[in-house]
Amino acid sequence: MDLIFDYPLIPLYLFGVMVFAGVVHGGLGIGFPMIATPLIAVFVDVRLAILMTLLPTMAVNLASIAGGTDQIRSVKDYAPMFVGSLVGSVIGAWMLATMDPSPFRLALALLIFLYLWSTVNSPTPAPWISRDSKTVMCGFGLVAGISGGITNVMIAILIIYFLGLSMSRSKMVPILNICFLIAKLTQMAVLGMAGWFTLALVYQTVLPSVAALGGFWAGMKLSNRISNEIYRKMLHALLMILAVVLIGQFLIDLAADPA
């Protein structure tokens, strides 16, 4: 099953997307799947976009975790969130493997809007958002895992929790990348059992993964010269445009096949 080369110009476009998303992730510490998935989903369905980005996303997450510090403490302190992410990712990946992926365009667009809203309207700490509440922590991980399994976007959910705790970026980024890695490994396992994640797909996404890592390292270098605020403004503008395009495509698909 040729997933990539069935589409004209997709290989070159895919390499460009991998580099760009890697640069953003390297500069901000987060953002690879949120950038890469909708950019690819503009031309193919969300399921295929997620399949194309599975290995590259995992590679970037591993690089982010390897370059971080105090991961052992993060795993210990946020274990309930990681467990919730694991369970949610199983559910989300199963939904992705068995359901019609067309509505996922709308879900992805709505998650992007949710993320943009959460970054503009930073939630103030609420009594139920507590670092000591294992139930709330696990709940956010569960919902994020489901959304990540379906659309490849977990950050829209998790960022609200961490902003609610007023957590600094340096502490937040390693935890987010561990959640992302758990989700990717889970997706690979579930989609592999469903016959979607194959060796052919792995072979076709090895070089894009290398391109993503190259972009990641370039982003890390650029992050020392360009302010994160500029990165965020560019990221938000691109995501807003992509969300509108995805909603438009969903409406076109709906009009073409009302059944």
Side-chain angles (χ1 to χ4, degrees):
M1 179 171 60
D2 291 331
L3 294 175
I4 296 175
F5 296 104
D6 282 348
Y7 297 86
L9 299 181
I10 281 292
L12 291 178
Y13 179 75
L14 181 62
F15 273 88
V17 169
M18 294 297 104
V19 173
F20 177 65
V23 169
V24 173
H25 197 107
L28 296 178
I30 54 177
F32 184 89
M34 174 162 275
I35 291 292
T37 307
L39 278 173
I40 297 173
V42 167
F43 296 102
V44 300
D45 66 64
V46 174
R47 179 191 288 146
L48 182 52
I50 291 175
L51 288 168
M52 287 181 177
T53 58
L54 272 177
L55 194 62
T57 301
M58 189 181 74
V60 170
N61 290 152
L62 283 170
S64 298
I65 294 170
T69 58
D70 209 11
Q71 293 91 339
I72 294 178
R73 182 171 181 176
S74 295
V75 171
K76 180 180 178 181
D77 292 346
Y78 291 88
M81 177 173 286
F82 299 143
V83 172
S85 297
L86 175 62
V87 175
S89 296
V90 171
I91 297 172
W94 174 81
M95 292 172 66
L96 179 69
T98 59
M99 294 182 177
D100 177 10
S102 297
F104 298 163
R105 289 183 189 272
L106 180 60
L108 179 54
L110 293 177
L111 282 173
I112 291 173
F113 281 130
L114 177 61
Y115 169 71
L116 293 173
W117 173 86
S118 67
T119 58
V120 173
N121 301 279
S122 300
T124 56
W128 58 275
I129 298 182
S130 170
R131 193 177 276 104
D132 298 325
S133 176
K134 308 299 183 185
T135 302
V136 172
M137 193 183 297
C138 183
F140 268 93
L142 178 66
V143 176
I146 294 173
S147 68
I150 299 173
T151 66
N152 225 20
V153 177
M154 299 179 70
I155 190 174
I157 307 299
L158 296 176
I159 198 77
I160 294 176
Y161 175 81
F162 290 115
L163 287 175
L165 296 178
S166 299
M167 182 176 290
S168 66
R169 178 194 168 204
S170 61
K171 293 182 179 180
M172 178 175 62
V173 167
I175 301 168
L176 289 172
N177 276 286
I178 293 173
C179 283
F180 300 156
L181 180 60
I182 291 172
K184 292 305 104 185
L185 291 173
T186 304
Q187 278 183 311
M188 286 181 180
V190 175
L191 294 176
M193 289 186 290
W196 287 101
F197 186 72
T198 63
L199 281 177
L201 176 66
V202 172
Y203 295 147
Q204 291 186 71
T205 54
V206 167
L207 289 180
S209 299
V210 174
L213 287 174
F216 172 78
W217 294 119
M220 290 187 66
K221 298 295 184 182
L222 289 173
S223 66
N224 298 325
R225 302 180 182 180
I226 303 175
S227 69
N228 286 338
E229 187 62 27
I230 294 177
Y231 268 112
R232 288 190 179 92
K233 288 181 179 179
M234 294 173 60
L235 174 63
H236 292 173
L238 176 62
L239 289 175
M240 180 65 73
I241 293 170
L242 289 172
V244 172
V245 170
L246 288 169
I247 290 176
Q249 289 184 327
F250 169 78
L251 293 175
I252 291 173
D253 291 342
L254 191 63
D257 185 16

